[in-house]
């Protein structure tokens, strides 16, 4: 599995909820690229148009709180986001992101050390983030079963393997 | 001897086939009940992508349409149709279509789907509502639900336990909503991330299941994995009609809690969560003069018969303020029918409230009661985020059914005890 990635940072605050990430009027949309067009539109109207493949979201506490809608990580992934680093995550968002193959790391300090637009590198396997200055930040490494899901490319692929093996 | 276990730990140990579990353990747990609603459309998509052909156990899956009921537009109608096709193809009998059910969390409780000691998962964040009956109930995503549909199990991290001990008796015209808003105001929206909140203490023992459902429902608002209450005589009484057998697992006296918080609700005044975060909680007396344009009574939080009775007691023989429209949306068909038989509809209609079919409706900004820019709603629901009920510049105040009805009468936020 490719565990290092790099991208530009978009910063968000505390308690970004899933209504913020994907507002309710778009919940009947099933096409991820359509959802991506409206991602974060109430919080930062520039985001959906400006985000590029590989970009990284750095946020405060409780990222992804609120409704369990999987539209939220789907839209972020479809918009090109490669990683979300937050001080803490809401648990359903955290699980959904992993299950979809969108890596998430928890870091208390990163948000205070980086600027919007700064380019950083992350090694998800090791849980290490390298800032543009070269400084390395350690985060909580992901549990093994979680890495296993990311490694399979998400839960869908993992279950497919289990079902195929069972046949 | 090792320390005792909490109710949550006992349920997760049983579901994962272990003698015992401790917080932080990652377990593969077998699910006793899986609930899905319109989100099932997305579950089906993932289920097919997994190459799954057959659901794991049709007796353990319940699908209930509730978000857009009846279908509010062509898109939601298509979601419903996708689900009906899947239900027919898989031979799922436990499907509650328009007119048969109501809001899923209410149905799981009132129709006897949830029993103490069960591990329940739902593709909705308010699944912890069922914890009021002593089940470990938690919300999961669509893809995870697809894996559950296919395999009947999922990985869970055993949560830390936060014990909320409540003392003091609930005053007149107070509700489980006032209690839980008080707790959320103190613990904040991230006060219980990943944790199981167990509600205990004399207050919890003394209040009925309806209040308990409201409290566990809003455990979600603090980021909790679940809210849970050990079953007791009230639980037994609530479930007696089902005739179903279950083992009433309770937390041990010497169970270990990571954190304990004490609350005394003696003299608590009605509580209101102000825009636009659920932890922005104030006492009703601080909000005198705040105008409201809409009053909404409904949702999985407070759309039960007890809630409708409370509102009717306030509205009886009175007229709603001329600048307010009040929407009453019972949480299920059964509640709707019961309210009609009890004459509550006469009271609502005479006071000029409108009564809608059971649905989530405006609670999540779906349909049937959106707000325009600059408008405020006093609502018995559980979330007041920006744009939750309509325009990004509208405002939602969360309160008990009593406070919602009293505020509808006066056109401004009003203490129901003064009416
Ligand atoms: S009533 Fe509101 S909170 Fe409850 S399930 Fe429906 S949308 Fe969610």
């Amino acid at each position: 599995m490719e565990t290092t990635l790099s991208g530009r940072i978009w910063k968000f605050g505390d308690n970004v909820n899933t209504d913020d990430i994907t507002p309710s009027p778009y919940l009947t949309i099933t096409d991820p690229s359509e959802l991506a067009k409206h991602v974060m539109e109430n919080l930062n109207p520039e985001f959906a148009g400006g985000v590029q493949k590989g970009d990284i979201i750095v946020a405060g506490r409780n990222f992804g709180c609120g409704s369990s809608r999987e539209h939220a990580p789907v839209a972020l992934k479809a918009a090109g986001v490669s990683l979300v680093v937050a001080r803490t995550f809401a648990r359903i968002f955290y699980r959904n992101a992993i299950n979809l193959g969108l890596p998430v790391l928890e870091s208390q300090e990163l948000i205070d050390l980086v600027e919007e637009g700064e380019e950083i590198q992350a090694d998800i396997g090791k849980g290490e983030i390298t800032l543009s200055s070269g400084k390395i930040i350690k985060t909580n490494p992901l549990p093994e079963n979680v890495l296993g899901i990311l490694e399979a490319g998400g839960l869908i692929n993992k279950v497919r393997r289990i079902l195929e093996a069972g046949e | 001897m090792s320390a005792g276990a909490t109710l949550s730990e006992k349920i997760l140990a049983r579901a994962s086939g272990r003698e015992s579990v401790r917080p932080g353990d990652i377990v593969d747990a077998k699910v006793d009940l899986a609930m899905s609603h319109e989100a099932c459309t997305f579950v089906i998509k993932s289920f097919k992508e997994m190459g799954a052909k057959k659901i794991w156990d049709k007796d353990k899956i319940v699908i209930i349409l509730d978000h857009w009921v009846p279908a509010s537009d062509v898109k939601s109608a298509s979601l419903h149709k996708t689900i009906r096709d899947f239900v027919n193809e898989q031979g799922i009998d436990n499907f509650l279509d328009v007119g048969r059910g109501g809001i899923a969390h209410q149905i799981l409780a009132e129709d006897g789907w949830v029993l103490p000691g069960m591990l329940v998962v739902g593709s909705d964040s308010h699944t912890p509502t069922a914890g009021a009956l002593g089940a470990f109930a938690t919300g999961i995503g669509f893809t995870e639900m697809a894996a559950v549909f296919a395999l009947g199990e999922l990985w869970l991290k055993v949560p830390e336990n936060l014990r909320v001990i409540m003392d003091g008796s609930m005053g007149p015209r107070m509700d489980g909503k006032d209690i839980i808003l008080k707790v959320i105001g103190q613990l904040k929206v991230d006060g219980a991330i990943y944790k199981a909140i167990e509600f205990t203490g004399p207050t919890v023992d003394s209040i009925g299941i309806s209040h308990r459902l409201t409290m566990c429902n809003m455990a979600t608002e603090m980021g909790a994995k679940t809210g849970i209450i050990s079953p007791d005589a009230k639980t037994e009484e609530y479930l007696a009609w089902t005739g179903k057998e279950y083992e009433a697992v309770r937390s041990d006296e010497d169970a270990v809690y990571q954190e304990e918080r004490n609350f005394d609700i003696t003299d608590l005044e009605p509580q209101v969560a102000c825009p636009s975060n659920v932890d922005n909680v104030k006492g009703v007396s601080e909000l005198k003069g705040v105008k409201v344009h809409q009053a909404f009574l409904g949702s999985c939080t407070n759309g039960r018969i007890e809630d409708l009775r409370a509102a009717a007691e306030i509205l009886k023989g009175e007229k709603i303020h001329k600048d307010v429209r009040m929407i009453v949306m019972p949480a299920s068909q059964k509640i709707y029918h019961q309210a009609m038989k009890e004459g509550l509809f006469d009271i609502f209609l005479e006071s000029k409230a409108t009564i809608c079919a059971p649905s989530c409706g405006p609670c999540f900004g779906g349909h049937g009661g959106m707000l325009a820019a600059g408008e405020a709603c006093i609502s018995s629901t559980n979330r007041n985020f920006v744009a939750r009920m309509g325009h990004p510049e509208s405002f939602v105040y969360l309160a008990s059914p009593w406070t919602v009805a009293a505020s509808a009468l006066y056109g401004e936020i009003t203490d129901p005890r003064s009416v």
Side-chain angles (χ1 to χ4, degrees), chain B residues 32-62:
Chain B
D32 299 309
L33 185 72
M35 177 279 284
S36 192
H37 48 51
E38 276 89 338
C40 193
T41 326
F42 304 96
V43 177
I44 296 165
K45 192 162 165 262
S46 299
F47 184 80
K48 300 217 158 125
E49 280 171 29
M50 283 167 180
K53 307 243 154 41
K54 201 80 204 122
I55 50 166
W56 111 97
D57 187 341
K58 74 183 182 102
D59 295 331
K60 292 183 177 164
I61 294 177
V62 191

PDB file of all heavy atoms in Angstrom, chain B residues 32-62:
ATOM      1  N   ASP B  32     -27.252  -8.235  16.723  1.00  0.00           N
ATOM      2  CA  ASP B  32     -28.566  -8.836  16.988  1.00  0.00           C
ATOM      3  C   ASP B  32     -29.673  -8.201  16.163  1.00  0.00           C
ATOM      4  O   ASP B  32     -30.686  -8.831  15.882  1.00  0.00           O
ATOM      5  CB  ASP B  32     -28.920  -8.684  18.478  1.00  0.00           C
ATOM      6  CG  ASP B  32     -27.920  -9.388  19.367  1.00  0.00           C
ATOM      7  OD1 ASP B  32     -27.660 -10.579  19.105  1.00  0.00           O
ATOM      8  OD2 ASP B  32     -27.381  -8.754  20.293  1.00  0.00           O
ATOM      9  N   LEU B  33     -29.491  -6.919  15.833  1.00  0.00           N
ATOM     10  CA  LEU B  33     -30.517  -6.227  15.053  1.00  0.00           C
ATOM     11  C   LEU B  33     -29.857  -5.110  14.242  1.00  0.00           C
ATOM     12  O   LEU B  33     -29.057  -4.340  14.771  1.00  0.00           O
ATOM     13  CB  LEU B  33     -31.569  -5.619  15.999  1.00  0.00           C
ATOM     14  CG  LEU B  33     -32.773  -4.960  15.322  1.00  0.00           C
ATOM     15  CD1 LEU B  33     -33.692  -6.014  14.713  1.00  0.00           C
ATOM     16  CD2 LEU B  33     -33.554  -4.104  16.318  1.00  0.00           C
ATOM     17  N   ALA B  34     -30.209  -5.047  12.958  1.00  0.00           N
ATOM     18  CA  ALA B  34     -29.678  -3.995  12.092  1.00  0.00           C
ATOM     19  C   ALA B  34     -30.838  -3.209  11.508  1.00  0.00           C
ATOM     20  O   ALA B  34     -31.741  -3.787  10.906  1.00  0.00           O
ATOM     21  CB  ALA B  34     -28.832  -4.600  10.971  1.00  0.00           C
ATOM     22  N   MET B  35     -30.820  -1.894  11.717  1.00  0.00           N
ATOM     23  CA  MET B  35     -31.902  -1.042  11.222  1.00  0.00           C
ATOM     24  C   MET B  35     -31.392  -0.109  10.129  1.00  0.00           C
ATOM     25  O   MET B  35     -30.299   0.429  10.229  1.00  0.00           O
ATOM     26  CB  MET B  35     -32.474  -0.220  12.376  1.00  0.00           C
ATOM     27  CG  MET B  35     -33.566   0.758  11.989  1.00  0.00           C
ATOM     28  SD  MET B  35     -32.971   2.312  11.282  1.00  0.00           S
ATOM     29  CE  MET B  35     -32.391   3.146  12.753  1.00  0.00           C
ATOM     30  N   SER B  36     -32.193   0.057   9.098  1.00  0.00           N
ATOM     31  CA  SER B  36     -31.847   1.061   8.105  1.00  0.00           C
ATOM     32  C   SER B  36     -33.112   1.776   7.639  1.00  0.00           C
ATOM     33  O   SER B  36     -34.210   1.228   7.725  1.00  0.00           O
ATOM     34  CB  SER B  36     -31.128   0.422   6.912  1.00  0.00           C
ATOM     35  OG  SER B  36     -30.558   1.436   6.106  1.00  0.00           O
ATOM     36  N   HIS B  37     -32.934   3.015   7.175  1.00  0.00           N
ATOM     37  CA  HIS B  37     -34.065   3.770   6.615  1.00  0.00           C
ATOM     38  C   HIS B  37     -33.726   4.143   5.176  1.00  0.00           C
ATOM     39  O   HIS B  37     -33.139   3.328   4.466  1.00  0.00           O
ATOM     40  CB  HIS B  37     -34.434   4.969   7.493  1.00  0.00           C
ATOM     41  CG  HIS B  37     -33.256   5.819   7.916  1.00  0.00           C
ATOM     42  ND1 HIS B  37     -32.330   6.303   7.025  1.00  0.00           N
ATOM     43  CD2 HIS B  37     -32.868   6.263   9.136  1.00  0.00           C
ATOM     44  CE1 HIS B  37     -31.422   7.011   7.673  1.00  0.00           C
ATOM     45  NE2 HIS B  37     -31.717   7.003   8.969  1.00  0.00           N
ATOM     46  N   GLU B  38     -34.032   5.333   4.741  1.00  0.00           N
ATOM     47  CA  GLU B  38     -33.743   5.699   3.354  1.00  0.00           C
ATOM     48  C   GLU B  38     -32.258   5.540   3.030  1.00  0.00           C
ATOM     49  O   GLU B  38     -31.889   5.348   1.875  1.00  0.00           O
ATOM     50  CB  GLU B  38     -34.184   7.137   3.064  1.00  0.00           C
ATOM     51  CG  GLU B  38     -35.656   7.267   2.709  1.00  0.00           C
ATOM     52  CD  GLU B  38     -36.543   7.480   3.920  1.00  0.00           C
ATOM     53  OE1 GLU B  38     -36.129   7.129   5.045  1.00  0.00           O
ATOM     54  OE2 GLU B  38     -37.662   7.990   3.736  1.00  0.00           O
ATOM     55  N   ALA B  39     -31.408   5.625   4.054  1.00  0.00           N
ATOM     56  CA  ALA B  39     -29.975   5.420   3.842  1.00  0.00           C
ATOM     57  C   ALA B  39     -29.717   4.051   3.219  1.00  0.00           C
ATOM     58  O   ALA B  39     -28.659   3.796   2.652  1.00  0.00           O
ATOM     59  CB  ALA B  39     -29.227   5.537   5.162  1.00  0.00           C
ATOM     60  N   CYS B  40     -30.695   3.175   3.324  1.00  0.00           N
ATOM     61  CA  CYS B  40     -30.567   1.828   2.777  1.00  0.00           C
ATOM     62  C   CYS B  40     -30.228   1.854   1.274  1.00  0.00           C
ATOM     63  O   CYS B  40     -29.552   0.963   0.773  1.00  0.00           O
ATOM     64  CB  CYS B  40     -31.854   1.046   3.027  1.00  0.00           C
ATOM     65  SG  CYS B  40     -31.670  -0.704   2.738  1.00  0.00           S
ATOM     66  N   THR B  41     -30.671   2.906   0.592  1.00  0.00           N
ATOM     67  CA  THR B  41     -30.338   3.022  -0.836  1.00  0.00           C
ATOM     68  C   THR B  41     -28.833   2.933  -1.035  1.00  0.00           C
ATOM     69  O   THR B  41     -28.340   2.289  -1.955  1.00  0.00           O
ATOM     70  CB  THR B  41     -30.754   4.410  -1.391  1.00  0.00           C
ATOM     71  OG1 THR B  41     -31.921   4.816  -0.745  1.00  0.00           O
ATOM     72  CG2 THR B  41     -30.931   4.375  -2.876  1.00  0.00           C
ATOM     73  N   PHE B  42     -28.116   3.638  -0.146  1.00  0.00           N
ATOM     74  CA  PHE B  42     -26.659   3.664  -0.262  1.00  0.00           C
ATOM     75  C   PHE B  42     -26.058   2.354   0.252  1.00  0.00           C
ATOM     76  O   PHE B  42     -25.034   1.904  -0.233  1.00  0.00           O
ATOM     77  CB  PHE B  42     -26.103   4.874   0.494  1.00  0.00           C
ATOM     78  CG  PHE B  42     -26.714   6.168   0.030  1.00  0.00           C
ATOM     79  CD1 PHE B  42     -27.788   6.734   0.704  1.00  0.00           C
ATOM     80  CD2 PHE B  42     -26.260   6.797  -1.126  1.00  0.00           C
ATOM     81  CE1 PHE B  42     -28.378   7.908   0.257  1.00  0.00           C
ATOM     82  CE2 PHE B  42     -26.846   7.974  -1.580  1.00  0.00           C
ATOM     83  CZ  PHE B  42     -27.908   8.529  -0.883  1.00  0.00           C
ATOM     84  N   VAL B  43     -26.741   1.757   1.223  1.00  0.00           N
ATOM     85  CA  VAL B  43     -26.300   0.454   1.732  1.00  0.00           C
ATOM     86  C   VAL B  43     -26.379  -0.576   0.600  1.00  0.00           C
ATOM     87  O   VAL B  43     -25.454  -1.359   0.383  1.00  0.00           O
ATOM     88  CB  VAL B  43     -27.182   0.000   2.927  1.00  0.00           C
ATOM     89  CG1 VAL B  43     -26.770  -1.382   3.405  1.00  0.00           C
ATOM     90  CG2 VAL B  43     -27.129   1.013   4.068  1.00  0.00           C
ATOM     91  N   ILE B  44     -27.471  -0.532  -0.138  1.00  0.00           N
ATOM     92  CA  ILE B  44     -27.685  -1.486  -1.240  1.00  0.00           C
ATOM     93  C   ILE B  44     -26.582  -1.350  -2.292  1.00  0.00           C
ATOM     94  O   ILE B  44     -26.044  -2.347  -2.781  1.00  0.00           O
ATOM     95  CB  ILE B  44     -29.076  -1.249  -1.893  1.00  0.00           C
ATOM     96  CG1 ILE B  44     -30.193  -1.541  -0.884  1.00  0.00           C
ATOM     97  CG2 ILE B  44     -29.245  -2.089  -3.151  1.00  0.00           C
ATOM     98  CD1 ILE B  44     -31.561  -1.010  -1.298  1.00  0.00           C
ATOM     99  N   LYS B  45     -26.239  -0.091  -2.580  1.00  0.00           N
ATOM    100  CA  LYS B  45     -25.192   0.174  -3.572  1.00  0.00           C
ATOM    101  C   LYS B  45     -23.882  -0.505  -3.127  1.00  0.00           C
ATOM    102  O   LYS B  45     -23.259  -1.233  -3.902  1.00  0.00           O
ATOM    103  CB  LYS B  45     -25.019   1.694  -3.692  1.00  0.00           C
ATOM    104  CG  LYS B  45     -24.195   2.147  -4.852  1.00  0.00           C
ATOM    105  CD  LYS B  45     -24.458   3.640  -5.123  1.00  0.00           C
ATOM    106  CE  LYS B  45     -23.405   4.227  -6.024  1.00  0.00           C
ATOM    107  NZ  LYS B  45     -22.342   4.949  -5.284  1.00  0.00           N
ATOM    108  N   SER B  46     -23.501  -0.283  -1.872  1.00  0.00           N
ATOM    109  CA  SER B  46     -22.258  -0.882  -1.374  1.00  0.00           C
ATOM    110  C   SER B  46     -22.363  -2.405  -1.308  1.00  0.00           C
ATOM    111  O   SER B  46     -21.411  -3.126  -1.612  1.00  0.00           O
ATOM    112  CB  SER B  46     -21.920  -0.346   0.026  1.00  0.00           C
ATOM    113  OG  SER B  46     -21.729   1.036  -0.011  1.00  0.00           O
ATOM    114  N   PHE B  47     -23.540  -2.885  -0.912  1.00  0.00           N
ATOM    115  CA  PHE B  47     -23.791  -4.332  -0.802  1.00  0.00           C
ATOM    116  C   PHE B  47     -23.539  -4.995  -2.154  1.00  0.00           C
ATOM    117  O   PHE B  47     -22.858  -6.019  -2.257  1.00  0.00           O
ATOM    118  CB  PHE B  47     -25.252  -4.526  -0.367  1.00  0.00           C
ATOM    119  CG  PHE B  47     -25.687  -5.940  -0.094  1.00  0.00           C
ATOM    120  CD1 PHE B  47     -25.389  -6.558   1.117  1.00  0.00           C
ATOM    121  CD2 PHE B  47     -26.443  -6.652  -1.030  1.00  0.00           C
ATOM    122  CE1 PHE B  47     -25.827  -7.846   1.388  1.00  0.00           C
ATOM    123  CE2 PHE B  47     -26.872  -7.942  -0.768  1.00  0.00           C
ATOM    124  CZ  PHE B  47     -26.562  -8.540   0.445  1.00  0.00           C
ATOM    125  N   LYS B  48     -24.034  -4.367  -3.211  1.00  0.00           N
ATOM    126  CA  LYS B  48     -23.829  -4.925  -4.553  1.00  0.00           C
ATOM    127  C   LYS B  48     -22.361  -4.828  -4.968  1.00  0.00           C
ATOM    128  O   LYS B  48     -21.813  -5.760  -5.556  1.00  0.00           O
ATOM    129  CB  LYS B  48     -24.739  -4.211  -5.560  1.00  0.00           C
ATOM    130  CG  LYS B  48     -26.219  -4.390  -5.155  1.00  0.00           C
ATOM    131  CD  LYS B  48     -27.162  -4.565  -6.319  1.00  0.00           C
ATOM    132  CE  LYS B  48     -28.444  -5.267  -5.856  1.00  0.00           C
ATOM    133  NZ  LYS B  48     -29.668  -4.534  -6.179  1.00  0.00           N
ATOM    134  N   GLU B  49     -21.753  -3.690  -4.639  1.00  0.00           N
ATOM    135  CA  GLU B  49     -20.335  -3.522  -4.998  1.00  0.00           C
ATOM    136  C   GLU B  49     -19.442  -4.550  -4.305  1.00  0.00           C
ATOM    137  O   GLU B  49     -18.372  -4.881  -4.788  1.00  0.00           O
ATOM    138  CB  GLU B  49     -19.861  -2.106  -4.638  1.00  0.00           C
ATOM    139  CG  GLU B  49     -20.271  -1.066  -5.672  1.00  0.00           C
ATOM    140  CD  GLU B  49     -20.001   0.353  -5.210  1.00  0.00           C
ATOM    141  OE1 GLU B  49     -19.062   0.568  -4.424  1.00  0.00           O
ATOM    142  OE2 GLU B  49     -20.747   1.244  -5.637  1.00  0.00           O
ATOM    143  N   MET B  50     -19.901  -5.015  -3.137  1.00  0.00           N
ATOM    144  CA  MET B  50     -19.125  -6.027  -2.416  1.00  0.00           C
ATOM    145  C   MET B  50     -19.239  -7.396  -3.082  1.00  0.00           C
ATOM    146  O   MET B  50     -18.569  -8.342  -2.691  1.00  0.00           O
ATOM    147  CB  MET B  50     -19.659  -6.164  -0.991  1.00  0.00           C
ATOM    148  CG  MET B  50     -19.232  -5.053  -0.087  1.00  0.00           C
ATOM    149  SD  MET B  50     -20.183  -5.071   1.451  1.00  0.00           S
ATOM    150  CE  MET B  50     -19.438  -3.643   2.258  1.00  0.00           C
ATOM    151  N   GLY B  51     -20.171  -7.484  -4.015  1.00  0.00           N
ATOM    152  CA  GLY B  51     -20.411  -8.774  -4.656  1.00  0.00           C
ATOM    153  C   GLY B  51     -21.287  -9.671  -3.799  1.00  0.00           C
ATOM    154  O   GLY B  51     -21.382 -10.877  -4.023  1.00  0.00           O
ATOM    155  N   ALA B  52     -21.955  -9.073  -2.783  1.00  0.00           N
ATOM    156  CA  ALA B  52     -22.822  -9.871  -1.911  1.00  0.00           C
ATOM    157  C   ALA B  52     -24.117 -10.202  -2.653  1.00  0.00           C
ATOM    158  O   ALA B  52     -24.613  -9.402  -3.442  1.00  0.00           O
ATOM    159  CB  ALA B  52     -23.122  -9.101  -0.635  1.00  0.00           C
ATOM    160  N   LYS B  53     -24.642 -11.400  -2.390  1.00  0.00           N
ATOM    161  CA  LYS B  53     -25.857 -11.813  -3.098  1.00  0.00           C
ATOM    162  C   LYS B  53     -27.045 -11.884  -2.147  1.00  0.00           C
ATOM    163  O   LYS B  53     -28.157 -11.558  -2.506  1.00  0.00           O
ATOM    164  CB  LYS B  53     -25.656 -13.202  -3.739  1.00  0.00           C
ATOM    165  CG  LYS B  53     -24.410 -13.288  -4.614  1.00  0.00           C
ATOM    166  CD  LYS B  53     -24.737 -13.576  -6.061  1.00  0.00           C
ATOM    167  CE  LYS B  53     -23.690 -13.059  -7.026  1.00  0.00           C
ATOM    168  NZ  LYS B  53     -22.281 -13.244  -6.627  1.00  0.00           N
ATOM    169  N   LYS B  54     -26.790 -12.380  -0.931  1.00  0.00           N
ATOM    170  CA  LYS B  54     -27.895 -12.674  -0.016  1.00  0.00           C
ATOM    171  C   LYS B  54     -27.606 -12.022   1.332  1.00  0.00           C
ATOM    172  O   LYS B  54     -26.476 -12.045   1.809  1.00  0.00           O
ATOM    173  CB  LYS B  54     -27.937 -14.210   0.139  1.00  0.00           C
ATOM    174  CG  LYS B  54     -29.252 -14.778   0.612  1.00  0.00           C
ATOM    175  CD  LYS B  54     -30.300 -14.898  -0.504  1.00  0.00           C
ATOM    176  CE  LYS B  54     -31.714 -14.897   0.094  1.00  0.00           C
ATOM    177  NZ  LYS B  54     -32.608 -13.874  -0.368  1.00  0.00           N
ATOM    178  N   ILE B  55     -28.629 -11.453   1.948  1.00  0.00           N
ATOM    179  CA  ILE B  55     -28.430 -10.880   3.280  1.00  0.00           C
ATOM    180  C   ILE B  55     -28.194 -12.001   4.286  1.00  0.00           C
ATOM    181  O   ILE B  55     -28.668 -13.123   4.098  1.00  0.00           O
ATOM    182  CB  ILE B  55     -29.633 -10.020   3.728  1.00  0.00           C
ATOM    183  CG1 ILE B  55     -30.947 -10.786   3.540  1.00  0.00           C
ATOM    184  CG2 ILE B  55     -29.651  -8.693   3.012  1.00  0.00           C
ATOM    185  CD1 ILE B  55     -32.108 -10.186   4.244  1.00  0.00           C
ATOM    186  N   TRP B  56     -27.501 -11.648   5.383  1.00  0.00           N
ATOM    187  CA  TRP B  56     -27.076 -12.687   6.321  1.00  0.00           C
ATOM    188  C   TRP B  56     -28.216 -13.313   7.097  1.00  0.00           C
ATOM    189  O   TRP B  56     -28.228 -14.504   7.343  1.00  0.00           O
ATOM    190  CB  TRP B  56     -25.949 -12.153   7.198  1.00  0.00           C
ATOM    191  CG  TRP B  56     -26.239 -11.918   8.654  1.00  0.00           C
ATOM    192  CD1 TRP B  56     -25.956 -12.778   9.678  1.00  0.00           C
ATOM    193  CD2 TRP B  56     -26.845 -10.778   9.270  1.00  0.00           C
ATOM    194  NE1 TRP B  56     -26.350 -12.226  10.874  1.00  0.00           N
ATOM    195  CE2 TRP B  56     -26.890 -11.000  10.665  1.00  0.00           C
ATOM    196  CE3 TRP B  56     -27.359  -9.560   8.787  1.00  0.00           C
ATOM    197  CZ2 TRP B  56     -27.419 -10.072  11.571  1.00  0.00           C
ATOM    198  CZ3 TRP B  56     -27.872  -8.636   9.685  1.00  0.00           C
ATOM    199  CH2 TRP B  56     -27.906  -8.914  11.054  1.00  0.00           C
ATOM    200  N   ASP B  57     -29.224 -12.487   7.492  1.00  0.00           N
ATOM    201  CA  ASP B  57     -30.319 -13.036   8.288  1.00  0.00           C
ATOM    202  C   ASP B  57     -31.516 -12.102   8.189  1.00  0.00           C
ATOM    203  O   ASP B  57     -31.508 -11.007   8.759  1.00  0.00           O
ATOM    204  CB  ASP B  57     -29.863 -13.167   9.753  1.00  0.00           C
ATOM    205  CG  ASP B  57     -30.894 -13.883  10.618  1.00  0.00           C
ATOM    206  OD1 ASP B  57     -32.086 -13.957  10.209  1.00  0.00           O
ATOM    207  OD2 ASP B  57     -30.513 -14.366  11.701  1.00  0.00           O
ATOM    208  N   LYS B  58     -32.542 -12.535   7.487  1.00  0.00           N
ATOM    209  CA  LYS B  58     -33.644 -11.602   7.249  1.00  0.00           C
ATOM    210  C   LYS B  58     -34.461 -11.302   8.494  1.00  0.00           C
ATOM    211  O   LYS B  58     -35.176 -10.307   8.547  1.00  0.00           O
ATOM    212  CB  LYS B  58     -34.536 -12.067   6.094  1.00  0.00           C
ATOM    213  CG  LYS B  58     -35.445 -13.223   6.388  1.00  0.00           C
ATOM    214  CD  LYS B  58     -36.182 -13.577   5.105  1.00  0.00           C
ATOM    215  CE  LYS B  58     -37.154 -14.708   5.339  1.00  0.00           C
ATOM    216  NZ  LYS B  58     -38.530 -14.319   5.457  1.00  0.00           N
ATOM    217  N   ASP B  59     -34.335 -12.135   9.516  1.00  0.00           N
ATOM    218  CA  ASP B  59     -35.072 -11.861  10.754  1.00  0.00           C
ATOM    219  C   ASP B  59     -34.410 -10.778  11.593  1.00  0.00           C
ATOM    220  O   ASP B  59     -34.995 -10.278  12.553  1.00  0.00           O
ATOM    221  CB  ASP B  59     -35.203 -13.134  11.599  1.00  0.00           C
ATOM    222  CG  ASP B  59     -36.049 -14.175  10.885  1.00  0.00           C
ATOM    223  OD1 ASP B  59     -36.935 -13.754  10.099  1.00  0.00           O
ATOM    224  OD2 ASP B  59     -35.818 -15.375  11.077  1.00  0.00           O
ATOM    225  N   LYS B  60     -33.168 -10.445  11.261  1.00  0.00           N
ATOM    226  CA  LYS B  60     -32.440  -9.471  12.084  1.00  0.00           C
ATOM    227  C   LYS B  60     -32.286  -8.120  11.401  1.00  0.00           C
ATOM    228  O   LYS B  60     -31.547  -7.260  11.876  1.00  0.00           O
ATOM    229  CB  LYS B  60     -31.069 -10.044  12.461  1.00  0.00           C
ATOM    230  CG  LYS B  60     -31.206 -11.225  13.415  1.00  0.00           C
ATOM    231  CD  LYS B  60     -29.889 -11.763  13.874  1.00  0.00           C
ATOM    232  CE  LYS B  60     -30.119 -12.884  14.885  1.00  0.00           C
ATOM    233  NZ  LYS B  60     -28.940 -13.691  15.088  1.00  0.00           N
ATOM    234  N   ILE B  61     -32.944  -7.968  10.273  1.00  0.00           N
ATOM    235  CA  ILE B  61     -32.870  -6.691   9.562  1.00  0.00           C
ATOM    236  C   ILE B  61     -34.260  -6.045   9.541  1.00  0.00           C
ATOM    237  O   ILE B  61     -35.243  -6.709   9.218  1.00  0.00           O
ATOM    238  CB  ILE B  61     -32.361  -6.891   8.114  1.00  0.00           C
ATOM    239  CG1 ILE B  61     -30.909  -7.387   8.147  1.00  0.00           C
ATOM    240  CG2 ILE B  61     -32.484  -5.612   7.304  1.00  0.00           C
ATOM    241  CD1 ILE B  61     -30.328  -7.691   6.776  1.00  0.00           C
ATOM    242  N   VAL B  62     -34.321  -4.770   9.927  1.00  0.00           N
ATOM    243  CA  VAL B  62     -35.579  -4.028   9.847  1.00  0.00           C
ATOM    244  C   VAL B  62     -35.331  -2.768   9.020  1.00  0.00           C
ATOM    245  O   VAL B  62     -34.391  -2.025   9.284  1.00  0.00           O
ATOM    246  CB  VAL B  62     -36.073  -3.546  11.239  1.00  0.00           C
ATOM    247  CG1 VAL B  62     -37.501  -3.026  11.135  1.00  0.00           C
ATOM    248  CG2 VAL B  62     -35.988  -4.645  12.262  1.00  0.00           C
TER     249      VAL B  62
END
